[in-house]
Amino acid sequence: MPWKDKLGLVHIYTGNGKGKTTAAFGLAVRMLGSGGKVIILQFMKAGNVYGEQKKIAECGAVIESFGLPKFVHGKPEPDDIEAAKKALQRAKEVVSSGEWDLVILDELCVALGFGMLDVEEVKELIKSKAPHTELVITGRYCPEELFELADYVTEMREIKHPYQRGILARRGVEY
């Protein structure tokens, strides 16, 4: 692979605006188009629900979803916490393996924000990254202490959203 001798950096896409996962998947397409190996671990999303999951797999990415088919509101249930911990364990294996050119940990920050995971474990995960692996972490509620470990930090800020007018998520746009 052409990336094995390159420096892999850390990206964080956070904030309350739309587009964090979309930006990460765009980078995945770019990496796949350049011949790289991509894996996406989704912390809070169930499989076969979102339009991008099937297509990104067809393009050659590996995608593993650990979220349960329900939304976490308020206090997470024990099964939500267990699913997040399984995702984190898998992420530790993947990030340090050196097998992947791009690793996306989608909605990891949300799991942190809901107190489902320990920020110190995530910091250790980032520090264990294989040197050539590009790592992207997405989701609202990113703890600022992760910013110091990142090379890119992008905040998506909501200024206006159709949800404010009662328009719910639409297939092909929001999911």
Side-chain angles (χ1 to χ4, degrees), residues 77-147:
E77 300 290 327
D79 58 345
D80 297 312
I81 296 168
E82 185 60 33
K85 287 182 177 182
K86 281 184 183 176
L88 184 63
Q89 183 57 44
R90 178 69 173 134
K92 289 176 181 179
E93 297 165 7
V94 165
V95 166
S96 64
S97 74
E99 180 181 350
W100 304 96
D101 300 306
L102 174 63
V103 175
I104 297 172
L105 305 180
D106 189 35
E107 306 293 2
L108 171 58
C109 297
V110 176
L112 284 168
F114 279 114
M116 299 161 71
L117 300 172
D118 176 29
V119 72
E120 292 303 319
E121 279 191 87
V122 174
K123 288 167 77 172
E124 289 305 313
L125 175 143
I126 293 169
K127 291 175 186 175
S128 76
K129 180 185 74 59
H132 75 278
T133 299
E134 203 78 10
L135 175 62
V136 177
I137 299 171
T138 75
R140 297 169 185 249
Y141 320 122
C142 186
E144 287 192 20
E145 60 195 283
L146 293 186
F147 294 175

Side-chain angles (χ1 to χ4, degrees), residues 127-175:
K127 291 175 186 175
S128 76
K129 180 185 74 59
H132 75 278
T133 299
E134 203 78 10
L135 175 62
V136 177
I137 299 171
T138 75
R140 297 169 185 249
Y141 320 122
C142 186
E144 287 192 20
E145 60 195 283
L146 293 186
F147 294 175
E148 64 195 48
L149 298 175
D151 300 288
Y152 301 85
V153 177
T154 301
E155 181 179 16
M156 312 305 201
R157 186 169 59 95
E158 181 180 301
I159 296 172
K160 185 176 182 181
H161 194 291
Y163 185 75
Q164 297 162 341
R165 297 187 327 227
I167 299 171
L168 299 179
R170 297 165 298 137
R171 183 131 186 98
V173 178
E174 281 89 18
Y175 72 97

